Amino acid sequence: MPLSISYSTLGFTLNQYHQKALGTASYPSIGSNIIYPALGLAGEAGEVADKIKKLWRNKGLFNPKDYPEEDRLALKKELGDVLWYVAACANELGYSLEEVAVGNNEKLADRAARGTIKSEGDDR
Ligand SMILES: [Mg+2]
């Protein structure tokens, strides 16, 4: 299915981000090695979760609106790291980041239309 949706904010598309991200990729066997970016994705997702856990545990903060600005900025950076590894994984699988995003939007829209958003299972 051709991609016609453009996710452009601030004049920057997902595919533009993807190309820039790939330009900074440096790991063994790029293009035939999904292990490195998959492990990196898990690690960076863990960094996001750990920062949120510590804000909750150490400062009793549950709502991100209550986070200090420096913590919000630190989480923004970690989310960027997650995005970078998502882009690298997509590349290894032969997909653009935009294809991944559009596919996810379509999957969720289909689930919403069928009333299965709150169900379980990957293929519902
Ligand atoms: Mg990080």
Side-chain angles (χ1 to χ4, degrees):
M1 176 177 188
L3 297 173
S4 58
I5 300 170
S6 180
Y7 289 83
S8 179
T9 59
L10 306 174
F12 193 68
T13 68
L14 280 175
N15 282 341
Q16 287 172 323
Y17 169 79
H18 199 182
Q19 289 308 308
K20 286 191 175 190
L22 293 177
T24 64
S26 177
Y27 57 88
S29 304
I30 292 175
S32 58
N33 175 7
I34 197 167
I35 301 299
Y36 180 91
L39 292 175
L41 175 59
E44 295 297 342
E47 289 184 35
V48 170
D50 192 57
K51 281 182 171 23
I52 290 171
K53 176 202 73 181
K54 287 176 179 169
L55 284 162
W56 179 47
R57 181 192 66 192
N58 299 343
K59 298 179 180 178
L61 298 176
F62 181 78
N63 185 338
K65 291 176 183 163
D66 298 327
Y67 288 177
E69 185 61 15
E70 67 184 48
D71 292 309
R72 289 184 64 250
L73 287 171
L75 279 162
K76 179 183 173 188
K77 287 182 181 178
E78 296 302 344
L79 290 172
D81 292 343
V82 168
L83 184 60
W84 190 94
Y85 280 110
V86 169
C89 285
N91 184 60
E92 294 292 340
L93 291 167
Y95 295 113
S96 71
L97 199 51
E98 189 164 285
E99 287 175 300
V100 172
V102 170
N104 182 258
N105 275 173
E106 289 175 347
K107 177 184 79 175
L108 294 175
D110 180 61
R111 286 181 182 174
R114 292 183 294 105
T116 60
I117 287 280
K118 291 184 178 178
S119 300
E120 293 181 21
D122 289 340
D123 293 318
R124 58 184 189 266

